[in-house]
Structure formats: structure tokens, C-alpha cells
Amino acid sequence: MEAIRNYLESMFANLPNTTEVQRAKSELGQMMEDKYQELIEEGKTDNEAVGIVISDFGNLDELADTLGIRGAMQAQPQIQARLLTGEEVKEYVSDDGRATFATSIGVMLCIFLPIPFIAAECVIEGLHTGERIPFALAITCFFVMLAAAIAIFVMNGIKMEKWKYLKRDAVCIDYATADYLQKVSDADRSGHAVLKVVGVLLCVFCFVPVAVIGSLTDNDVPAMIGAIILFLCVGIGVMMLVNAGAKEDAYKTLLRLNSPATVGGNYVRSQAEIRYTNPTVEKFMGVFNPTILCIYLCWSFLTFDWHITWIIWPIAAVVRYLINSTWGEKGGKF
Amino acid sequence: MTSISSDVIRGYNDTMILYLLLDGPSYGYEISKKIREISEEKYVIKETTLYSAFTRMEKNGYIQSFYQTAENGKRRTYYQITQEGITYYQQKYNEWDLTQEVVQHFMKKIL
């Protein structure tokens, strides 16, 4: 049955996504399914049944005029998009996952950059050592982390270079691949949600150690240790957030390869996610989450008003809701 | 082995479908199955041919479609013949009667 479904989907993949075409597809699918079932009941093997059903399918050319797709059928050779193989798709998902993981480590290292200096300060204050050695160590640590982060970013850029064609060339995926992607994407969803929640919590509550320690003692050293914990929390939190969206992005990139104007663009539920009517809003919403995180961190670190800066999260949620209801619209559905 | 020429039969797909619908509403696969059975497996209508006939005849007002849930819980599109469809069928019948009468005069078996 799967083979028949794949056959039908591939026959229709490049046709315009109209009601007539959808209806034709579902009707033909129904007839094929009925026929297949009866052949199986008659004792045919799966292979035989599939063979008969497909050979009796006929030719879509016959439907061209009734469906008003004569133009689209003749235009097909020009817009022929290369079909990605299953291996390519899996390789891209794993490459992209690895690249995002590396990026998240790089970002975490960047956030950790102040830690060596605070630690050095701690050592100097707490152990009353000389300044020179701790600072030399701190600077070394700083540059090692910075160099590592830059190396990671550069390597990633080079590694992902070969996948640029996904965005540049006309490529598409078939129904079986889309189905596979949808399944793994659904399977990953709950894990990602946990990662996201923990990441956000770490970022939101990173100031707690500083605040608690600050209220308990006036001593500088514990306060600085609190600050180190703060950077650790933010670093790990951001790393988790970056990772949480990682695979999802790879799946979406692949699932969006098919043009939504064709039947093939219908393989995905993710097409039904919110789209924005205004291109500026669309761009803005693309960077909405990172922007809010950025504002939150900048505001908090510049003013140290941690007791109030969390308010930005509920405000952001309200703003997102307002923007979605003003400019957003649900995309096409299956 | 002789097989049926699709050019010749094309003009009569509609007639065959309407003939079956005269007995009451039916759906895609059932119609294609009956055509195969009645023709003693000598003619198997392609799915695309059948569907294009449905849409064409619906547009012309010869048949109407409606949804109905079958016994096994499947939602199917059923087709039923309209008054215009019956009239059209009658015309096609007369046309065929005449056609085969005329053509028959020119047919003989060569031994």
C-alpha cells in the first residue's frame, strides 16, 4: 500500500496545489486503494497487487484538460527539480545536527569568556597570591577559549558550505522522504521541549545564586563565585536553547524544499505553521527569540536589575501573540 | 490477440458509466470493477480515464456526486445519474444503434 501511495504522490508532486488537483488525487487514491484491497483479498501477493494497480492507473495526461493543468504539465521539463536521495537527506540532517552542536559549544565558550578573569580575581582576593600568575593564566584561558570558539565557527562554515545548494538549486524531496522526516521530527519534539524549558529556566534564574549570596554576605569572594555560576548557567542555558531548535531547523529546511504552489508542498504539516503577510514582520519574527534573549541579557547585565528584568519574557509572549494575530496567517493545509 | 483500441472505446466510456449508474448510485472502484466483469475482462478502464469521465460528466450535468460513508467506515464519493444524464444516455444509445448498423454493413470475415 505504501508503494501505491508513493507512486500517486510522485505522480502529483509537481502539479499545482489546487482544490481540483487535490480532489483528483484523493479520488484516484481511493480507487487504487479499493482495487489493491480486493486484489489482496483475492490472494494476490503485495507485489502483484501493486503492479496491477499501477499498470491500470493510466496516464495523468488524460486529466490535464479536466483539471486545467495542461499548462503546468507542459511546463514541467523546465522546472524539473532534482530529487534528493534518502542518503543525502540523512547526511544533511546529521551534518546540520553536528554543526549546530558545535555552534552551541562555541557560543557557550564565548559566554564563558569573562569567567577566567573573575576566577583570577577570586584567587587573588581569597588566597592573597600575587596578581601576575592568576592574570596570566586568566588571559591564556581567555584566548584559548576565544580561539576555540572562532575555530569552531570557521570549521562549521566550511563544513556546511557543501549544503549551500539546498537553498540555491532547484531540489525537492519525495513523499517517502517527507513522511520519514515528519516522523523523526515528531519523535524528537518532546525531547526538544524539555531542552528548551531547562535552557530558558537556566537563563531566567541565572541571577539567583548572585542574589542569594549577595543577601547573605558582603564578602567579595562569594559574590564573585556567584557571578561565575551566573555565567555558567547562561552559557549552558544558551547552549541548550541552540541545540533544542537544531534538528527541527534541519527538518524544516528540507520539508520546505518543495514549492507550496505544487501538491508536493503539501507533504508537511509544518507548512501549516504561521506565515506572515508582511515580509518585514517575517524577517523580524525570524530573529524574535534570539533578540529577546539578547535584550534580556544586555539589560540584566548592564543594570543588574535581575529582580525586574524577567518581565521581558511575559511581555515578549504577549507581543508575539499580538504580532501573530495581526500579520500571521496559517499556511496551507493538507 | 486482439485488444480493444482505446480510440474506438473512448467515445463510449461515458455510455458505459451511465449504463451502470442507471441501476443506482455507485463509486469509482465499483464502476471500474463492473465494467471489467461485464466486459468479461476484455476491457479494463484506467483509473485516470474513469476519473476524467466523472469530472467531465459532472460538469455537463449528467451526473451528480455526493459523499457517503460506506459500511466499512470509508468515506467515498458516490455518483448518481441525473435526468439530463438519462436523456444523454438515450441519445448515445440511439447513436450507437445507428452507428453499429451502418458499420456492420461494411464488415465481413475474410477467410
Side-chain angles (χ1 to χ4, degrees):
Chain A
M1 198 56 223
E2 197 59 23
I4 293 175
R5 180 112 178 109
N6 286 344
Y7 174 77
L8 186 66
E9 292 288 354
S10 66
M11 292 299 284
F12 275 83
N14 286 324
L15 298 185
N17 191 8
T18 63
T19 330
E20 287 84 26
V21 174
Q22 285 295 347
R23 195 185 146 194
K25 192 179 118 212
S26 93
E27 272 294 284
L28 289 167
Q30 186 65 63
M31 290 189 219
M32 291 169 103
E33 196 188 317
D34 286 341
K35 191 174 230 165
Y36 171 84
Q37 232 129 48
E38 185 148 312
L39 288 166
I40 292 291
E41 274 161 29
E42 280 170 14
K44 294 269 191 307
T45 67
D46 185 69
N47 268 343
E48 285 171 328
V50 169
I52 294 172
V53 170
I54 289 177
S55 74
D56 286 351
F57 176 75
N59 192 331
L60 273 188
D61 242 16
E62 283 191 85
L63 297 181
D65 290 323
T66 30
L67 299 180
I69 50 173
R70 174 68 64 199
M73 307 223 358
Q74 277 157 358
Q76 258 189 51
Q78 287 149 25
I79 54 159
Q80 220 164 40
R82 191 174 73 80
L83 203 62
L84 289 182
T85 65
E87 279 73 46
E88 275 178 304
V89 165
K90 280 178 193 157
E91 197 187 336
Y92 173 71
V93 169
S94 88
D95 269 14
D96 189 81
R98 234 173 287 148
T100 315
F101 180 71
T103 306
S104 72
I105 298 291
V107 172
M108 189 177 73
L109 285 175
C110 288
I111 296 174
F112 284 172
L113 285 178
I115 293 179
F117 295 105
I118 306 175
E121 202 64 49
C122 269
V123 171
I124 295 162
E125 291 261 325
L127 304 174
H128 301 291
T129 58
E131 289 195 358
R132 216 182 262 160
I133 296 168
F135 261 114
L137 282 174
I139 288 179
T140 315
C141 273
F142 175 87
F143 279 111
V144 167
M145 292 202 293
L146 190 62
I150 293 173
I152 286 172
F153 294 144
V154 172
M155 288 295 288
N156 261 350
I158 295 169
K159 253 191 158 174
M160 294 309 282
E161 187 71 25
K162 70 167 174 167
W163 295 108
K164 280 264 170 70
Y165 72 85
L166 286 185
K167 291 192 172 124
R168 199 182 50 219
D169 297 357
V171 285
C172 61
I173 54 173
D174 62 9
Y175 173 73
T177 312
D179 198 43
Y180 160 80
L181 285 170
Q182 192 71 60
K183 277 185 193 130
V184 282
S185 156
D186 283 347
D188 284 353
R189 197 155 287 155
S190 58
H192 285 160
V194 172
L195 217 54
K196 222 175 252 182
V197 169
V198 175
V200 168
L201 287 179
L202 277 174
C203 286
V204 172
F205 292 112
C206 62
F207 66 94
V208 170
V210 183
V212 171
I213 293 168
S215 66
L216 293 177
T217 167
D218 280 342
N219 199 333
D220 273 353
V221 175
M224 283 190 283
I225 290 173
I228 291 177
I229 298 174
L230 181 146
F231 281 110
L232 285 174
C233 284
V234 175
I236 294 168
V238 169
M239 187 209 50
M240 285 174 141
L241 285 177
V242 173
N243 268 313
K247 278 194 177 166
E248 203 64 18
D249 283 348
Y251 298 146
K252 271 187 197 156
T253 309
L254 289 168
L255 289 171
R256 284 203 185 124
L257 289 175
N258 291 350
S259 153
T262 64
V263 173
N266 265 1
Y267 293 164
V268 237
R269 253 172 293 145
S270 70
Q271 300 267 0
E273 74 181 20
I274 289 183
R275 288 168 170 275
Y276 299 97
T277 45
N278 183 324
T280 321
V281 175
E282 171 117 39
K283 275 186 201 125
F284 174 71
M285 291 312 283
V287 293
F288 188 77
N289 280 335
T291 310
I292 297 298
L293 181 67
C294 208
I295 293 173
Y296 171 71
L297 291 176
C298 290
W299 182 15
S300 306
F301 280 114
L302 290 175
T303 64
F304 267 82
D305 289 336
W306 296 95
H307 61 280
I308 186 67
T309 51
W310 59 267
I311 195 86
I312 206 163
W313 296 108
I315 293 177
V318 172
V319 169
R320 171 190 283 275
Y321 178 78
L322 286 176
I323 291 176
N324 284 352
S325 52
T326 317
W327 288 289
E329 56 178 26
K330 295 272 180 198
K333 52 188 182 299
F334 194 59
Chain B
M1 200 186 99
T2 333
S3 67
I4 218 152
S5 144
S6 62
D7 281 339
V8 172
I9 201 103
R10 185 172 299 141
Y12 290 93
N13 282 326
D14 292 4
T15 319
M16 287 190 266
I17 296 165
L18 290 175
Y19 167 82
L20 293 168
L21 291 179
L22 285 171
D23 295 341
S26 181
Y27 58 90
Y29 177 63
E30 195 174 61
I31 292 174
S32 94
K33 188 175 139 188
K34 278 188 183 158
I35 291 178
R36 201 182 66 223
E37 282 169 4
I38 294 173
S39 72
E40 292 162 340
E41 314 265 324
K42 291 191 184 80
Y43 180 52
V44 177
I45 191 165
K46 304 271 185 203
E47 256 75 49
T48 48
T49 311
L50 188 56
Y51 183 74
S52 98
F54 284 152
T55 38
R56 191 166 0 92
M57 289 200 288
E58 193 170 15
K59 216 176 267 170
N60 292 339
Y62 302 151
I63 56 172
Q64 274 176 344
S65 67
F66 60 96
Y67 290 109
Q68 191 169 301
T69 313
E71 327 82 62
N72 55 5
K74 261 184 205 152
R75 218 167 97 91
R76 284 212 178 86
T77 314
Y78 278 76
Y79 297 92
Q80 75 183 4
I81 193 163
T82 61
Q83 199 48 55
E84 286 99 320
I86 296 174
T87 317
Y88 176 71
Y89 177 79
Q90 196 56 52
Q91 278 170 21
K92 289 300 274 188
Y93 171 79
N94 295 335
E95 180 194 308
W96 172 250
D97 212 31
L98 182 65
T99 310
Q100 69 145 356
E101 190 196 322
V102 171
V103 175
Q104 194 60 52
H105 291 306
F106 301 91
M107 294 291 172
K108 65 174 178 182
K109 205 161 191 141
I110 295 172
L111 294 167

